[in-house]
Amino acid sequence: MPRWARAWFVFVLICMVAIVVSGAPPVSANEARAAERGPSGLPLPRFVSLKSGRVNMRVGPGTSYAVKWLYTKSGLPMEIIQEYDNWRQVRDADGAEGWINQALLSGRRTGIVAPWFKGKATTLPLLARPREDAQRVAEVEPGAIGEVRECDGKWCRMDFNRHTGWIRQATLWGVYPDEIIEE
């Protein structure tokens, strides 16, 4: 199980225990995620994408810290897990964590298709409608990055270059399980 999936499972389990102990009514996954807010007033954690085609991830929140990774793909999704001043502690799809200046991040939502299958000889269907029996628009390779248009908690409508269609939400890194994203 990927590290992000284990972390998400632990988060949901902790929320469920807290609900049972407090006697509070259950909340949706979106409400649970929005419960914690960073100094910016935005929810933590949350997904964003890289604004630039050259972005340094540093080991600490400032330019005096060493560069840990250099990202060269604009639009790559990142998960913000903490905030400090103008710096955001982020996690990438491979689980690498570090700090990126907020000016290099965009609120534009993107997703990576099944990065856990990258390099394997398989594709996933991009469908005309959010149904298993819908017509296939295209086949998408694991590791492909697309722009998220909307998600209903089970399916996401995405753009991959010239192809737009629906893909199972569980096959994406860059959106949370059961997250609703409205166009």
Side-chain angles (χ1 to χ4, degrees), residues 125-137 155 166:
L126 186 66
L127 304 171
R129 290 187 309 274
R131 295 183 7 200
E132 292 292 344
D133 62 349
Q135 178 183 358
R136 289 178 184 226
V137 173
W155 295 88
W166 293 86

Side-chain angles (χ1 to χ4, degrees), residues 60 94 108:
D94 294 325
R108 186 175 135 240

Side-chain angles (χ1 to χ4, degrees), residues 111-123:
I112 301 176
V113 175
W116 45 91
F117 289 143
K118 194 171 181 180
K120 298 196 171 45
T122 187
T123 59

Side-chain angles (χ1 to χ4, degrees), residues 77-153:
M78 292 281 172
E79 183 179 30
I80 295 179
I81 55 177
Q82 195 54 261
E83 299 178 347
Y84 177 77
D85 197 25
N86 290 331
W87 292 86
R88 303 296 177 255
Q89 187 178 23
V90 299
R91 179 182 303 125
D92 70 15
D94 294 325
E97 294 182 7
W99 294 84
I100 295 177
N101 189 285
Q102 71 173 1
L104 300 172
L105 300 171
S106 167
R108 186 175 135 240
R109 294 295 296 270
T110 61
I112 301 176
V113 175
W116 45 91
F117 289 143
K118 194 171 181 180
K120 298 196 171 45
T122 187
T123 59
L124 288 96
L126 186 66
L127 304 171
R129 290 187 309 274
R131 295 183 7 200
E132 292 292 344
D133 62 349
Q135 178 183 358
R136 289 178 184 226
V137 173
E139 293 290 325
V140 184
E141 291 184 3
I145 299 171
E147 187 165 354
V148 177
R149 294 297 182 186
E150 64 180 302
C151 295
D152 65 9

Side-chain angles (χ1 to χ4, degrees), residues 151-183:
C151 295
D152 65 9
K154 303 256 185 264
W155 295 88
C156 290
R157 188 167 64 87
M158 296 188 65
D159 291 339
F160 294 96
N161 293 326
R162 298 175 312 272
H163 300 287
T164 299
W166 293 86
I167 193 163
R168 280 228 167 257
Q169 195 159 334
T171 65
L172 297 174
W173 192 89
V175 297
Y176 294 107
D178 301 323
E179 181 179 11
I180 308 294
I181 299 173
E182 296 177 353
E183 189 170 28

Side-chain angles (χ1 to χ4, degrees), residues 30 33-38 40-47 80 83:
N30 282 353
R33 271 191 303 283
E36 184 181 343
R37 298 208 175 262
S40 68
L42 297 171
L44 289 176
R46 69 182 180 275
F47 280 104
I80 295 179
E83 299 178 347

